Each structure stands twice: as C-alpha cells, then as structure tokens.
Amino acid sequence: CLWVRNFRLKKRLPGPFAWPVVGNAMQLGQMPHLTFAKLAKKYGNVYQIKLGCNNIVVLNGEATIRKALLQHSTEFAGRPNFTSFQSVSGGNGMTFNSYSKEWRIHRKIAQSTIRAFSSANNENKKAFEMHIVAEAMDLVQTFLKLSSNGQYFNPSHELTVAAANVICALCFGKRYGHDEQEFRTLLTRIDKFGETVGAGSLVDVMPWLQSFPNPVRSGFQSFKEINKEFFTFVKNKVIQHRETYNPNVTRDMSDAIIGVIDKADSHTGLTEAHTEGTVADLIGAGLDTVSTAMHWVLLLLAKHPDIQSKLQEDIDRVIGRERLPSIEDKNNLDYLNAFIYETMRYTSFVPVTIPHSTTCDVIIEGLFIPKDTVVFINQWSVNYDPEKWKDPHVFNPSRFLDENGILDKSLTSNVMIFSIGKRRCIGDQIAKVEIFLFTVILLQQFTIEKDPSQDLSLHCSYGLSLKPLNYKIHAKLRGAHLLVKT
Ligand code: HEM
C-alpha cells in the first residue's frame, strides 16, 4: 500500500558495506552469531547483510525479536526458498517448508501428535517416561563398559544413539539399540546435517559454488546423500506401518500420523508423502538437538566438579539411592533445573534459529523489510544481553534461583533456545523431559570426570547447533553397584 511504499523511500535498512559477488560472506567468521551481535552494536538490532546476492535481515535482542516474532508473527513465519531445504524430509516435511494454509494444518497435526504421545493423559505420559528411563539406563550400562579399567571415552555417539532411540520408540514403537549397525552408521553422519542448513551456510546463497570442485560443493553433495539415506530409512518404516495399519489400534506416532493424514478427507491438501515427511521431521529434529544438549551437560559437569557435587547432594536428598528418579522429582530439584537452564543459556547451542523469511512487506523498529526477505534470528544475542544477565560469560546456575533456592520462572522464561512465535519448536516439552531424566539418572549413578591429560575447552563447531569438539570423560560409579529397577 501507499504508506508502506512511502516508508520504503524514507528509511533504508542499515548494515555493513557488501562486496560484489560474495557480499558479506567473508566477514561472518567461524561463529556468525558472534559477528551478528557485534554488528548489532554498530547498526542496531535490525540490519541488513548480503550473502552472495541475497539480502538478509538479521534480528538481535529480546525486545526486537519478540516484536517481530510475536506481534508480526505471520509476517515472519516463512522459510526461504533454499535449494538445501528441498532435500530435507523428501521435500514434504513441515520444518523446512514455508508458511501456507496447508503448512498450518501440517504443523497442527505434528504438534498434536507429539502432545498425544507425551503428555495428553497419564498413561501416555508414563509410557513416554518409561522409554526415556529405559534408554538412560542403557546409556548407564554403555558408559560403564566404556569407562572400564579407568578408560576415558568420547560420549558423543552414544548420546546420539540414545536420543535417536527415544524418538524412534515414539515414532515406530521400536528402539534400535547401541549395537544395530545400519542405524548406527546412519547416525554417525547425521551431525553433518546442521552445517548445511544453519544460518550463514553458503550453499544456498552462492549457487555458483556448485559449478566447480570446492568444499562447499562436496559438503552439499554429502548433505543430499545423508538426507536421502535418512529419508529412505524413515519412509520404509512408515510403509511397513501402512501395510499393517489397523484403524482401531494406534501403536505409535507413525500410526497416528497415518490416521490423520493418509486416511483423512483430501481437503487438508496433505498427501501420503506428507506423512513420511512429518515422521522424518520429528526424528531429525528430535535426535540431534537433544543429544547436543546432553553433550554440553556432560562437558559442563566434568568442567565444574563443585557444581556436580552440589547437584548430587540434592539428588541424594530428594531421591536417595534406593529408587530410580522419575519426572515427579522435577519440581523438587530446583538446582538441577537451574543447571539445565544455565546450560541452555550459556552454550546457546542453537544460536540462530532455522532461517525464516517474510511472508509479506513488514515494518519493524521503523524499518521496511520487503516480502520474501531471508531473516536470521540471533537467539544468542538474547542469552548474552548484558542488560539482562549479570556476567553473561560466567557459567552460574544459581543465577536462576531466588534467595530461598527456588527456581525463578520469570528468569528461566528469558532464555531463548526454542525460538518463539509461529515457528517455535514443537518438541520443547519432550526435550526438557528427556534432558532432565537423562541428566538426573546419570548423576545419580555416576560422577563424570574429565580426562586430566586434556584441557576441557568450550570450543565447538558451528552449524544449526553448536557442538563441542572432541572431548573425553570417565563415568565413575558412585555406589557399589548400579540401580536397575524403578
Ligand atoms: C524447530 C530448538 C528439540 C521438533 C526448532 C527451532 C529451534 C528448535 C530453535 C527453530 C525455530 C525457528 O525456526 O524459529 C530445539 C532445541 C531442542 C529441540 C534447543 C532440544 C533441546 C526438539 C524435539 C523435537 C523438535 C525433541 C521433536 C521431536 C521441532 C520441529 C521444528 C523445530 C518439528 C520445526 C517447527 C516449524 O518449523 O514450525 N527447534 N528443538 N525439536 N523443532 Fe525443535
């Protein structure tokens, strides 16, 4: 409309000078979220950069991000039309597809399926908890084996398998164990996924990089192969479910999604391909994030033995050593909850959300952003805002406790890692339950110790999630023997 056009003439988006061809690609550095925060100091919380020939708007700071994603929720709910996004979940998932009427139905189906299998009623809540506890106990056994004879080990792969098993148990009614080779091989390569779809990846903004051999091109080729293999694995399982589907018995989330998408009247605009896409989305989103969170949890426990002892004291007092922890213990373990929130804030391990795009022209903070602009949302800037957090660079779980040691919920809600608005993570509740139970069970059984020959650094690799670099721990049994019964 006229006033938007007039506005456009007056206010240009601020931002750094962009070089021809590459734009600002060479300035992003190893950790683009830190560069974005630095640029915000110079240009304000809304500014524009250029990657290749794409204009990209970067949003920083809690107030600006809230205004954009909550007050202009529909305008910022799109996803860019990136080539890499079309390789994910056979192109028919919900996560990487843009905003539309069909997408809204799709998201609702995925969201209510997760709720139905994790929290809708007591029976399902308990079944979900049992899956996690069983998986955590399996992890305990594996850690014990890997720590035998005083050995140190890298927990990375076992954590990925454990998180994958929880989401596979929900989706397929079956876990795959730590020894199933086909599944394990697939998982060894899955952590490469985030490097291509994370904000700042060059695959989609410089298509000419695909025309001659270079690391971006080979990275993209293996990204496509991993996606194809992973999607084929999921699709085959969904097809098996379809063949044995009984409308009177919903065995797991795949059956539930088959029930609402395949068997529904066609007016939803969704097809069988979307059923497979949805299941692939949930497994993909559910395994890498939770395992990365646990990776950081173990690293921070090993790095802060004083905090670890305090957590164990609380667990011994509230739960003791005669029974296994349960989700009901969560409300009585404030320091542990504070530790988990501080781990999420301090590591900000999903520093920038999956890229968004604008669904129509929009004005934010007095600045005009045209329809179909790619938008990066810098969650890290919220978690490290010095106005909000005292000494943000210090790891201090107690910052979330009041003077009586009670968790301050108004502070925990300021941590931004699951995003907000129409694209907010739909797995946040199940992720929190998983992280709580894995952490409390490991801490009840073990003391996590660092390898004295290695410096435990916080260096990490950048992608959709930040992953700690190779580190080793030893899991030292706390009691004379393992607890095995609930
Ligand atoms: C999206 C974080 C676990 C399912 C997202 C996004 C973030 C995120 C930042 C992108 C939001 C945006 O683009 O604005 C996390 C973190 C997790 C976690 C930190 C663990 C600690 C899970 C789990 C599931 C899940 C366990 C499901 C099983 C999804 C889905 C989306 C999503 C389906 C796409 C939503 C959409 O595009 O509308 N998550 N997530 N996530 N997450 Fe999670």
Side-chain angles (χ1 to χ4, degrees), residues 450-457 470-473:
K450 68 177 194 140
D451 180 351
S453 70
Q454 253 189 352
D455 232 8
L456 263 190
S457 90
N470 202 1
Y471 71 88
K472 285 187 174 169
I473 53 164

Side-chain angles (χ1 to χ4, degrees), residues 162-330:
N165 275 334
V166 172
I167 192 70
C168 281
L170 284 179
C171 286
F172 303 136
K174 180 175 175 344
R175 57 191 291 276
Y176 291 91
H178 287 253
D179 302 322
E180 289 217 18
Q181 209 44 53
E182 178 206 12
F183 190 55
R184 279 189 78 104
T185 312
L186 189 61
L187 293 180
T188 48
R189 298 191 294 135
I190 220 95
D191 61 351
K192 295 274 166 248
F193 176 85
E195 288 172 17
T196 299
V197 294
S201 154
L202 300 182
V203 166
D204 298 296
V205 290
M206 296 185 190
W208 45 269
L209 283 172
Q210 300 308 315
S211 53
F212 60 95
N214 66 73
V216 174
R217 182 168 91 163
S218 45
F220 187 43
Q221 272 157 358
S222 65
F223 170 83
K224 283 193 280 194
E225 280 160 26
I226 295 166
N227 271 290
K228 202 166 157 205
E229 250 177 77
F230 179 70
F231 184 63
T232 307
F233 172 84
V234 173
K235 190 174 168 177
N236 287 339
K237 302 278 176 248
V238 174
I239 290 171
Q240 285 163 15
H241 272 67
R242 236 180 233 131
E243 286 164 1
T244 52
Y245 180 77
N246 172 353
N248 302 316
V249 186
T250 309
R251 294 165 295 188
D252 45 39
M253 296 219 283
S254 293
D255 271 358
I257 296 167
I258 290 172
V260 279
I261 299 185
D262 288 24
K263 311 287 172 193
D265 304 336
S266 55
H267 67 260
T268 60
L270 301 176
T271 62
E272 289 191 357
H274 290 96
T275 301
E276 290 142 17
T278 316
V279 180
D281 259 10
L282 294 181
I283 296 182
L287 71 91
D288 196 44
T289 43
V290 172
S291 65
T292 305
M294 287 311 301
H295 222 124
W296 284 111
V297 161
L298 293 182
L299 189 152
L300 289 163
L301 287 173
K303 202 171 174 61
H304 298 279
D306 47 333
I307 293 177
Q308 183 170 188
S309 309
K310 197 160 176 253
L311 288 165
Q312 286 168 329
E313 270 167 37
D314 270 9
I315 293 169
D316 291 352
R317 182 175 46 79
V318 172
I319 303 169
R321 306 203 33 84
E322 301 304 314
R323 65 170 177 90
L324 282 176
S326 81
I327 196 63
E328 277 86 47
D329 297 315
K330 195 165 186 287

Side-chain angles (χ1 to χ4, degrees), residues 89-145:
S89 301
N92 290 305
M94 179 271 286
T95 307
F96 290 91
N97 273 330
S98 201
Y99 188 79
S100 66
K101 190 167 147 258
E102 287 75 32
W103 176 84
R104 287 208 312 267
I105 299 170
H106 201 175
R107 180 167 157 113
K108 239 184 215 144
I109 290 174
Q111 213 165 10
S112 52
T113 310
I114 290 184
R115 204 175 309 121
F117 281 83
S118 60
S119 59
N121 57 50
N122 272 343
E123 196 184 322
N124 288 357
K125 221 178 187 166
K126 216 61 215 164
F128 173 54
E129 183 179 350
M130 296 302 285
H131 282 313
I132 305 169
V133 172
E135 215 46 64
M137 288 313 287
D138 210 65
L139 198 59
V140 164
Q141 297 283 2
T142 310
F143 276 16
L144 199 59
K145 235 184 275 166

Side-chain angles (χ1 to χ4, degrees), residues 74-95:
T74 307
E75 292 96 316
F76 283 95
R79 292 278 188 228
N81 185 19
F82 282 164
T83 318
S84 69
F85 286 14
Q86 286 151 25
S87 317
V88 185
S89 301
N92 290 305
M94 179 271 286
T95 307

Side-chain angles (χ1 to χ4, degrees), residues 30-34 194 288-289 291-293 295-296 344-352 380 384 417 458-469:
Q30 299 282 318
M31 296 289 149
H33 55 289
L34 303 182
D288 196 44
T289 43
S291 65
T292 305
H295 222 124
W296 284 111
M344 295 198 285
R345 184 203 68 81
Y346 179 73
T347 65
S348 288
F349 66 85
V350 187
V352 184
W380 184 93
Y384 274 76
I417 194 147
L458 294 169
H459 293 315
C460 52
S461 60
Y462 178 87
L464 186 53
S465 60
L466 300 174
K467 293 176 195 299
L469 297 181

